[in-house]
Amino acid sequence: MSIGLVGRKCGMTRVFTDAGVTVPVTVVEALPNRISQVKNDKTDGYRAVQVTIGSRRPSRVPKALAGHFAKANVAAGYTSQEFRLGKGEGDDLATGGEFKVDMFKAGQIVDVTGTTVGKGFQAHEAA
C-alpha cells in the first residue's frame, strides 16, 4: 500500500471539457497531514505511518492521545489515520513532518476511498 493523503469532501461541482461536455467532480479539501508516528518492524511488528489532520482544542483531547501527540511534538488533530508502508517506502519519513497536496503531480491517477454516513431504515416522507 502506498502513502496517501486524508481529506474531507466539501461538495460537488462540474467542469466543462473543450468539447463543451460537462463532467461532474467531487471537491475534496486536503489539509496538511502531520506525521504523528512512524511504525517499524522492530518495535511494532509492521511498517506504517500514522497521520493526523485538523486541529482540536487541548481540553477535548483524551490524556493518552495528548501524550501521544506531545511525544511526536505535533498539534492534536480531530482524526488519526494509518497508512501501511511497503518495502523501501517511507524510509525518509520522520515524526513532525507533513504530507501536502503537492506530493501529487497534475494528471496523476489516484485511488480515492470514502466512508458513507449510513441512514439505516430511515422512513421516507410521504407526499
Side-chain angles (χ1 to χ4, degrees):
M1 181 179 226
S2 59
I3 297 173
L5 196 63
V6 180
R8 185 179 70 164
K9 179 179 175 178
C10 291
M12 298 285 293
T13 189
R14 60 186 174 175
V15 175
F16 292 95
T17 64
D18 293 334
V21 178
T22 182
V23 179
V25 295
T26 303
V27 179
V28 177
E29 177 185 25
L31 300 170
N33 290 210
R34 298 179 305 277
I35 301 173
S36 59
Q37 185 178 10
V38 179
K39 297 184 175 189
N40 58 33
D41 290 326
K42 194 175 186 181
T43 58
D44 303 299
Y46 65 101
R47 300 185 68 236
V49 61
Q50 194 177 74
V51 298
T52 185
I53 62 168
S55 61
R56 214 168 166 191
R57 288 185 294 180
S59 63
R60 299 285 184 187
V61 180
K63 287 189 179 185
L65 206 53
H68 177 71
F69 290 130
K71 180 180 176 185
N73 199 22
V74 296
Y78 63 85
T79 185
S80 290
Q81 297 287 327
E82 191 171 281
F83 296 103
R84 290 278 184 127
L85 299 173
K87 284 191 173 193
E89 188 178 33
D91 292 333
D92 57 338
L93 298 176
T95 57
E98 287 187 340
F99 295 139
K100 294 183 182 177
V101 177
D102 60 2
M103 67 188 269
F104 300 110
K105 298 175 189 78
Q108 180 179 354
I109 302 215
V110 295
D111 291 332
V112 178
T113 304
T115 305
T116 62
V117 178
K119 301 292 184 184
F121 291 99
Q122 180 176 355
H124 295 283
E125 194 172 312

